[in-house]
Amino acid sequence: MDSVETYLADILAAIRPLPPRELALADALGAVLTDDVAARYPLPSFDNSAMDGYAVRAADVATATEDSPVVLPVDGEVAAGDTGPRDLVPGSVIRIMTGAPMPAGADAVVQVELTDGGTERVTIHGSVEAGHAVRLTGGDAQPGDLLLPAGTRLRAVHVGLLAAAGHGTVRARPRPRVTVISTGNELVEPGAELIRGRIWESNATMLAAAAREAGCPARRYPIVRDTTDALLAAVQDALAGADLLVTSGGVSMGGEHDVVKAALGTLGTVTFRKVAMQPGMPQGFGTVGPAATPIFTLPGNPVSAYVSFCLFVRPALDALQDSYEERAKPGQAVLAGPARSPAERRSFLRGVLDGPAGLVTPVSGQASHQLASLARANALIIVPEHITSLDAGETVDVLELP
Ligand code: AMP
Ligand code: MG
């Protein structure tokens, strides 16, 4: 059996990052920059007003006070979006709105609150320094300044900055597109009528949602029956629109019923291994198709499938954007109840973590088909390979679930 670390390291070593593409900003959220982005223009690109008020020469209002205001003629107004040249005649003011270009000759803005708001003549009750309420050209960034370094995963603010800096597109590695294929003769569409012996499909539904929760576009492929031909056709078909494939089921030790193992084993690129963990011991990984698309063959039990997704598929999604980083070490908490674990396997028990109290309680129902129990948990309790039982009060590592 391989350790969790060995298996993950082999997966990461086999993944080639997706090539960068020129992405529209609407598609850029979550993409990872492959190049530094520098400012091409000053930001802002022209001197403009930070407030609604009056563009002035500071010298003209230098004596203004509450008791002894200065009264000046108002020579029209300039609003955000106005582009025509405006000159301030000394001894007058121009009404100005936030974001409007500063008239030539004006060196400050008196905010409207310091005035009577006049339109023909304005009474100004205070002085301002030169530069007051003026946003200077390049005050946020100068041409050539580094705005976003290569490797940045684009968040909303980053996308906003790209737009503000005049970029309509950006070169980045997009979020990988995920397709999840469930196999099994027993599977029925969620919500459809069920007869005894069948179950509602839940893994592909869950794992596609988990991929979306991780920020990736994801879809669930229609249920595939347990035949080699059906599976190979599905994989072939799914390759077209996916950067990563996940299958569920068909990888246990049950011989001819384990169609994923039988079918993909013949491709020569997917290897099936036992990983020293519980749940999720039978694992398969490889690459398929012309783009060497990674494919994970996860075990069919829903808890095994989900835990495997968290431990292996999630890091692979990051690696496809060349942005895999070992996640922060697991947290620690005190066990509120006893826990058992098989020898020689690392257990990922389902638990309810009370972060502020530093306590974690194993949920009842730790079998790998018990999705209801998993749904009650918010954390995985990690029990190392050499430990088979733990008592309440012992400190354990915990991984918080998304
Ligand atoms: P398998 O790995 O195909 O042997 O399946 C192991 C267990 O997981 C069996 O009880 C299956 O019925 C169940 N199972 C497999 N695929 C799914 C699925 N997509 N949704 C829910 N349960 C599944
Ligand atoms: Mg099956």
Side-chain angles (χ1 to χ4, degrees), residues 183-186 226 248-252 257-259 300:
T183 66
N185 287 341
E186 72 278 36
D226 286 326
S248 114
V251 293
S252 1
H257 294 291
D258 289 323
V259 62

Side-chain angles (χ1 to χ4, degrees), residues 136-305:
L136 290 177
T137 305
D140 198 11
Q142 295 284 350
D145 281 357
L146 179 63
L147 297 178
L148 298 168
T152 300
R153 182 182 290 285
L154 295 173
R155 302 180 59 87
V157 170
H158 301 141
V159 178
L161 173 58
L162 289 167
H167 295 261
T169 62
V170 64
R171 192 174 148 78
R173 292 187 213 278
R175 289 278 202 188
R177 299 160 302 163
V178 178
T179 296
V180 188
I181 304 172
S182 265
T183 66
N185 287 341
E186 72 278 36
L187 303 178
V188 173
E189 278 295 310
E193 202 185 323
L194 202 64
I195 56 172
R196 186 180 146 75
R198 301 284 164 84
I199 61 170
W200 284 296
E201 197 294 315
S202 60
N203 288 350
T205 307
M206 169 173 62
L207 299 177
R212 277 182 228 119
E213 208 164 50
C216 297
R219 71 186 186 111
R220 165 179 173 267
Y221 199 85
I223 294 166
V224 173
R225 298 302 167 204
D226 286 326
T227 73
T228 302
D229 288 352
L231 178 68
L232 288 177
V235 167
Q236 196 61 43
D237 185 38
L239 269 177
D243 303 307
L244 183 145
L245 296 180
V246 177
T247 67
S248 114
V251 293
S252 1
M253 311 297 151
E256 75 275 16
H257 294 291
D258 289 323
V259 62
V260 173
K261 211 168 179 177
L264 297 183
T266 64
L267 292 183
T269 54
V270 182
T271 57
F272 296 91
R273 295 157 69 164
K274 289 186 189 174
V275 180
M277 61 189 276
Q278 188 174 65
M281 181 190 67
Q283 296 285 339
F285 171 79
T287 57
V288 284
T293 305
I295 182 166
F296 286 84
T297 65
L298 303 187
N301 275 310
V303 179
S304 312

Side-chain angles (χ1 to χ4, degrees), residues 153 176 178 211 214 216 244 309 312-321:
R153 182 182 290 285
V178 178
C216 297
L244 183 145
F309 181 95
F312 306 123
V313 182
R314 187 71 186 76
L317 292 172
D318 286 341
L320 279 170
Q321 294 186 292

Side-chain angles (χ1 to χ4, degrees), residues 335-375:
L335 262 183
R340 299 179 155 280
S341 166
E344 313 297 331
R345 294 219 241 151
R346 189 177 307 175
S347 281
F348 296 89
L349 303 174
R350 279 66 70 201
V352 176
L353 175 67
D354 179 347
L359 275 180
V360 67
T361 310
V363 300
S364 67
Q366 292 285 342
S368 53
H369 65 288
Q370 289 180 302
L371 193 49
S373 301
L374 173 61

Side-chain angles (χ1 to χ4, degrees), residues 6-7 46 49 92 94 124 134 153 171 206 218 239 265 271 288 322 329 338 346 380 387 401:
T6 303
Y7 185 55
F46 56 94
S49 178
S92 71
I94 294 176
I124 296 174
V134 179
R153 182 182 290 285
R171 192 174 148 78
M206 169 173 62
L239 269 177
T271 57
V288 284
D322 200 17
K329 283 180 76 169
R346 189 177 307 175
L380 297 175
I387 290 177
L401 292 173

